[in-house]
Amino acid sequence: MNPTTVRADFPILSRRVNGKQLVYLDSAATTQKPIQVIDAMNDFYRRHNASVHRGAYTLAEEATALYEGARSKIASFLDADSPREVVLTRGTTNAINTVAYGWGLYNLKPGDRILLTKMEHHANVVPWQLICRHTGAELEYLPLTDDFLVDTSNLEAVIDNRTRVVAFSGMSNVLGTIGPHAELIQAARSVGAMTIIDGAQLIPHAPTTVHDLGADFVVFSAHKMLGPTGIGAMWGRMELLEAMEPAEGGGSMIRDVQLDNSTWADVPYKFEAGTPPIAEAIGFGAAVDYLTKLGMDNVRAHEIEITRYALDRLGEIPDLTVYGPDDTSMRGGAVSFTLADIHPHDLATILDQQGVAIRAGHHCARPLMRVLDVPATARASFYVYNTLEEVDALIAALHDARRIFDVA
Ligand code: C6P
């Protein structure tokens, strides 16, 4: 996989920003979209647009085939046993809420425990807090080690038969930290707890299957893997999906509606209330095709190469602190840092003047910011189209920032 060839498929990457060539280093927030995804969505609106699952006319049949075709592609990408195990959601946040409200609300009671880690995105914290309010269950958090890994040294003492849910990020959007999936899943299994992996960062970046992960649910967003916003997936074990209640009611998700009661459509439709984002699903399918063609092993190998290079080069900058593991076998390509006492927002603004787009802030991980004892970090994140030369541009812009802020 050659990022220079890959770049040619991404029209936006030839843009100039503030008179400089755009260097897009914010793929952990959202990735850019290749022409293949843009064309697939465009083609749907130009030639096939109709609602799905209802119409008895040609366009509706075409739209349904394209929508269901996208589900099948996502299922193959995950090596799921059946496309029916893939629920199309509005994204990771919506998927976690679907599990929290569809499973948690009906299965948790006072005294039950939900185990998270201190590196979770708010999407894997706040829904569980809301469920705790409804059910009386309590939250617990696994701490982090000094080298930014999930600390499992006390796991046996933390997990017991009160633990009913273990929910954790497959890859941190701030630290880049991966895992430890197998250990957490096994510990959860040993006490019969339900497991959910927030795969928003993991699935786009690592060759993995739902069988490798072994969780009960794996959730992720299309827009972080070259697809459009507004769509994502919730893979779940069929027996849990069958047993779970829908979190949202409305059209398309019912078998029958009486005046005072309703019955649900089969999985996955009982979780897809209302007219779905059809063009977005088709774009998601095209993104999965694109990544499959690149090969997820190649995607990961490139990520390791560019992240290693970035960590080494960032290490050359005085007063710069990286928050995350140094070992690239344990991390992905989201690299958070601070530079002296320059506020990350100021840093991002200065870098933007050089055309370099990075994110600054708490990255929707305020509990983690407290652990790191910083209000915010700057974050550069890499994907399939980023080159080592772009890392050089980042480094040059950071040296400029040091000069501008007169860092001694
Ligand atoms: N992170 C970032 O880091 P949505 O918004 O539903 O597509 O994804 C939410 C989400 C959940 N979990 C993790 C680990 C994530 O990284 C994210 C999204 C973005 O820049 C936005 S805060």
Side-chain angles (χ1 to χ4, degrees), residues 27-38:
S27 292
T30 198
T31 59
Q32 297 303 346
K33 321 303 173 199
I35 194 71
Q36 291 82 346
V37 167
I38 298 168

Side-chain angles (χ1 to χ4, degrees), residues 26-30 90-96 119-124 169-174 198-202 219-224 229-232 334 359 362-365 379 381:
D26 197 17
S27 292
T30 198
R90 293 195 301 277
T92 305
T93 304
N94 177 234
I96 296 173
M119 66 177 193
E120 297 313 308
H121 185 280
H122 296 163
N124 200 28
S169 165
M171 183 190 283
S172 161
N173 64 321
V174 177
D198 169 356
Q201 301 292 343
L202 179 73
V219 299
F220 52 103
S221 301
H223 71 99
K224 294 187 198 288
T229 51
I231 184 120
R359 186 170 171 186
H362 55 66
H363 314 292
C364 301
R379 184 189 68 189
S381 53

Side-chain angles (χ1 to χ4, degrees), residues 179-202:
H181 312 147
E183 199 181 350
L184 292 179
I185 299 283
Q186 207 203 329
R189 279 245 183 87
S190 70
V191 295
M194 188 273 275
T195 51
I196 170 165
I197 295 185
D198 169 356
Q201 301 292 343
L202 179 73

Side-chain angles (χ1 to χ4, degrees), residues 106-119:
Y106 298 91
N107 288 283
L108 296 173
K109 57 181 189 321
D112 286 348
R113 300 251 169 101
I114 299 169
L115 181 63
L116 311 173
T117 81
K118 287 206 174 162
M119 66 177 193

